[in-house]
Amino acid sequence: MKKIIPIFLLCLHSFFAYTQDSSQAREHIKYLSSKELHGRGVAYNGENLAAGYLQSQLRKLGVEPLGNNYFQSYELAGFALEGKIHCDIDGQELTPGDDYRIAPFSQSLNGTYPIIHIPYSTLIDSKKIDKIKQKYGNNLAKCLIYIDDTKAHFKKEQDQKDYQNKVRMIEFDNPFHSAGIIKGVGKMSAWGLAHTHYARESAFIYMLNDKIKRNSKQITINYNNELRPYTHHNVCGIIRGTDKADEYIVLCAHYDHLGAMGENVYFPGAHDNASGCAFLLNMAQYFSQNPPKCSIVFLFFAGEESGLLGSKYFTENPLIPLQQIRFAINFDLLGGGDEGITLVNSTEGKGKDLYEKIVSINDKEQLLPKIATRQNTANSDHYFFTQQGVTALFLYTMGGKTGAYHDPSDSNDNCSLAMFDSIFKLFRILIEKEGD
């Protein structure tokens, strides 16, 4: 009995230690995805509020700043869609977020606009576009074009491809020179930030197609969207290694998200990517209490949703020698995991070697049901490290309960963290082994 009790207590301590990890992570995610931060975008200064929170957490954990006051800053204008939003079709008010979504790069609209219904096939026929421009002339600038995307079906495969290309183009280049374009959809599309940063002369609105009837004649819509100067901050910290302080392991995650669409609709970004930020903070907490042999750099990037801007800036203006990075792991979308994880850039070269180390640990510890591979692609903040010759992987979870991608449902309540502790243990072991 004397031998059993210590083992039991050890197991109990281990259980509560991992429970505490998830509990602490949950608190980080809860705050970062809260209404107070308005989706961590430019609107309502949400992004910089999140940066301040991460800075304070690193300082509280005793993590040293990498750079000036933990911040590596750069300037880039961003869109801020703030204030009240109203939209009605022929007097029938619609619900923002659920019934329609205004693309975040849209020009402001304030007034009542005639609706011009055009067939979807018009988009691939320049002559038909010219006829509409001739018919309505200068009045187009005071009208909104409506295209029902759910009806778009072409007999020829090439026509279908041409149409899809045109739809993507009209989000940024309105061929009708109308006040804006409404795209009718069967279900609400994922929101996404523009990778270009200039003022638009047109609006683009996604709207459920059952909200506009064939005889719908006018839309009253009021919102203000401002392109304003903005200072973005990469939040950077370091725990110095005890034996190999000039060799670095980089752990990174982006903390920005999509921001808000007015005062009542915001995109919480719990899964994408408050979860990755919480993971880094938990790692920082652990290694601040258990000093590593190699130095660990913690990088929280801004600007990922706008085109990997923060990681690009860091790799072009590094605060540590990039050639002295042993490897970098980018943690993005950690809210689920019932079906395991995927590692991007793990199919060849040093990325494959690192993948095999991770798989070996997982096989021994039996932590995750699957670790899938994927070739390198520019889909998150690992990418610009790979372009500088750094061994870098991007980890995201598969399966499990999370909110929808780039949607208001990506909330703390919909973020299960099913395999969070297992992923934490897997990479804690990897980092500790790396120092041997």
Side-chain angles (χ1 to χ4, degrees), residues 103-376:
F105 47 81
S106 297
Q107 72 164 344
S108 300
L109 293 178
N110 285 283
T112 298
Y113 303 84
I115 300 172
I116 300 175
H117 300 251
I118 69 167
Y120 62 84
S121 58
T122 302
L123 281 184
I124 62 171
D125 192 327
S126 59
K127 291 182 179 179
K128 289 182 179 179
I129 293 175
D130 288 340
K131 284 183 179 180
I132 291 172
K133 291 164 73 174
Q134 291 171 6
K135 179 179 178 180
Y136 293 96
N138 293 334
N139 288 330
L140 272 174
K142 301 176 183 178
C143 300
L144 291 178
I145 297 288
Y146 176 69
I147 304 169
D148 189 347
D149 189 58
T150 66
K151 307 296 185 184
H153 299 288
F154 294 86
K155 292 181 179 180
K156 294 181 180 180
E157 183 179 349
Q158 187 57 50
D159 286 345
Q160 189 72 36
K161 289 181 179 179
D162 289 344
Y163 171 79
Q164 294 300 332
N165 287 334
K166 291 292 185 180
V167 168
R168 283 190 288 269
M169 288 175 62
I170 63 172
E171 294 187 11
F172 306 98
D173 183 17
N174 181 344
F176 305 98
H177 304 297
S178 59
I181 294 175
I182 303 172
K183 177 182 174 182
V185 296
K187 64 178 182 179
M188 200 49 62
S189 304
W191 224 50
L193 301 185
H195 291 189
T196 51
H197 302 265
Y198 56 87
R200 304 299 203 279
E201 296 180 355
S202 178
F204 193 85
I205 300 164
Y206 304 91
M207 187 172 290
L208 295 181
N209 67 329
D210 62 358
K211 302 301 175 183
I212 295 187
K213 310 302 180 184
R214 287 188 177 184
N215 60 350
S216 296
K217 294 182 179 180
Q218 66 181 24
I219 177 172
T220 299
I221 186 164
N222 298 284
Y223 67 87
N224 292 305
N225 193 22
E226 180 184 357
L227 179 64
R228 61 178 62 153
Y230 202 77
T231 302
H232 306 265
H233 306 289
N234 293 331
V235 184
C236 314
I238 185 169
I239 296 176
R240 304 283 176 182
T242 57
D243 294 347
K244 304 168 185 176
D246 59 350
E247 297 182 25
Y248 305 95
I249 293 170
V250 171
L251 306 181
C252 60
H254 77 90
Y255 70 89
D256 66 302
H257 196 50
L258 305 177
M261 194 185 86
E263 62 184 12
N264 294 320
V265 179
Y266 75 103
F267 295 79
H271 180 44
D272 182 16
N273 183 37
S275 62
C277 296
F279 187 87
L280 260 64
L281 290 175
N282 275 19
M283 280 286 180
Q285 181 177 11
Y286 176 84
F287 283 106
S288 65
Q289 298 168 1
N290 301 274
K293 293 183 179 179
C294 296
S295 293
I296 303 178
V297 173
F298 299 90
L299 301 177
F300 300 84
F301 290 125
E304 193 268 357
E305 300 289 5
S306 299
L308 317 182
L309 301 179
S311 53
K312 184 175 188 293
Y313 187 85
F314 182 89
T315 55
E316 292 175 349
N317 304 274
L319 300 178
I320 55 173
L322 297 181
Q323 67 273 18
Q324 291 172 216
I325 298 175
R326 285 199 169 195
F327 61 78
I329 308 286
N330 173 42
F331 297 92
D332 194 353
L333 308 169
L334 266 67
D338 290 38
E339 299 172 17
I341 62 173
T342 294
L343 294 175
V344 177
N345 192 37
S346 59
T347 59
E348 59 185 11
K350 293 183 178 179
K352 183 178 180 181
D353 294 341
L354 181 56
Y355 163 81
E356 290 174 350
K357 286 183 182 180
I358 294 167
V359 169
S360 177
I361 296 169
N362 191 60
D363 287 345
K364 181 179 179 181
E365 300 290 336
Q366 293 294 294
L367 296 168
L368 300 173
K370 182 178 180 180
I371 302 180
T373 62
R374 184 175 173 182
Q375 66 184 20
N376 196 21

